[in-house]
Amino acid sequence: MVSLRCKMMVKDELKKLGIKYVNLELGMVETLEKVSKEQQFALKKNLMKSGLEVLDNKKSILIEKIKNTITEMIHYTDENPKVNYSDYLSEKLGYDYTYLANTFSEVTGITIQQFIIIHKIERVKELLIYDELNITEIAFKMHYSSVGHLSNQFKKITGLTPSFYKQVKNKRKAKLEDF
């Protein structure tokens, strides 16, 4: 569950199936009672219809927790942690960072750092489109050491400079408004 909408969908399915839960967080559900095999099957089936899946493998669950923590940190909080990402993940998830990093890379095929960069660039794209902050303010907000560093990472991921990306989006928007 990477969004509040996903969380609501899971809540609805649990309610439909009569599954009582104690805790429902992004990426995790703690049930009050043991869930029957039939309920598990029905939950998996119903969630798959919505594009969600139930994870019951420990590594998969840990990977989802890492992804959710990073996504939450980059997309849903205005303040990035005051410590570096590795310390933040380690503290938040209760595992040694080396273990988290190795498990993540082994399962996903990319490093945690690459995943963070991809999500930071996605957030930068959103901020560019909103047009409320200039590139310097965005670099500061996203904790880049400089505008140049942000621009280099942005170009490496998207193939475009931030200013060209913004121009393309503005041109598309203008064309849509002409119709």
Side-chain angles (χ1 to χ4, degrees):
M1 293 179 281
V2 274
S3 72
L4 296 176
R5 192 172 320 148
C6 295
K7 194 173 172 179
M8 293 304 297
M9 292 166 90
V10 172
K11 269 186 182 181
D12 288 344
E13 287 304 323
L14 291 171
K15 189 175 181 179
K16 285 178 195 173
L17 295 169
I19 301 172
K20 295 182 174 107
Y21 60 90
V22 180
N23 192 12
L24 179 78
E25 294 178 28
L26 292 178
M28 188 189 84
V29 177
E30 189 179 336
T31 58
L32 198 58
E33 305 159 346
K34 186 157 174 55
V35 179
S36 73
K37 292 285 183 195
E38 293 81 19
Q39 286 174 315
Q40 285 179 21
F41 179 76
L43 182 62
K44 279 184 179 186
K45 187 176 133 196
N46 294 343
L47 289 176
M48 283 189 105
K49 288 178 187 174
S50 304
L52 299 174
E53 66 179 304
V54 175
L55 302 175
D56 43 17
N57 168 312
K58 283 189 177 191
K59 276 188 180 179
S60 297
I61 292 169
L62 181 59
I63 298 307
E64 277 307 301
K65 284 182 180 181
I66 293 169
K67 287 179 177 181
N68 288 339
T69 302
I70 292 168
T71 302
E72 215 173 84
M73 177 176 60
I74 292 172
H75 292 276
Y76 299 111
T77 55
D78 280 337
E79 286 186 34
N80 281 340
K82 302 292 183 229
V83 296
N84 63 31
Y85 291 120
S86 57
D87 290 342
Y88 180 79
L89 286 170
S90 214
E91 183 182 311
K92 182 103 170 152
L93 300 174
Y95 289 95
D96 176 66
Y97 182 75
T98 304
Y99 174 73
L100 293 173
N102 290 339
T103 304
F104 190 87
S105 297
E106 175 189 317
V107 173
T108 65
I110 64 169
T111 66
I112 288 177
Q113 191 58 37
Q114 289 168 321
F115 187 80
I116 289 170
I117 290 168
I118 290 165
H119 277 272
K120 283 177 78 171
I121 295 303
E122 286 304 311
R123 180 71 174 127
V124 169
K125 286 180 185 178
E126 290 172 11
L127 294 170
L128 287 168
I129 291 168
Y130 292 151
D131 206 23
E132 294 173 1
L133 303 172
N134 65 38
I135 192 72
T136 304
E137 292 167 327
I138 292 171
F140 178 77
K141 178 181 180 71
M142 297 306 297
H143 295 271
Y144 279 95
S145 57
S146 67
V147 172
H149 183 215
L150 165 60
S151 295
N152 287 337
Q153 269 192 357
F154 193 92
K155 187 164 185 164
K156 198 180 289 184
I157 299 294
T158 66
L160 306 170
T161 64
S163 54
F164 188 73
Y165 177 82
K166 193 171 182 175
Q167 285 174 358
V168 169
K169 286 294 180 187
N170 288 339
K171 284 180 185 175
R172 281 189 182 160
K173 188 177 174 184
K175 284 182 182 180
L176 286 173
E177 289 171 356
D178 289 343
F179 286 105

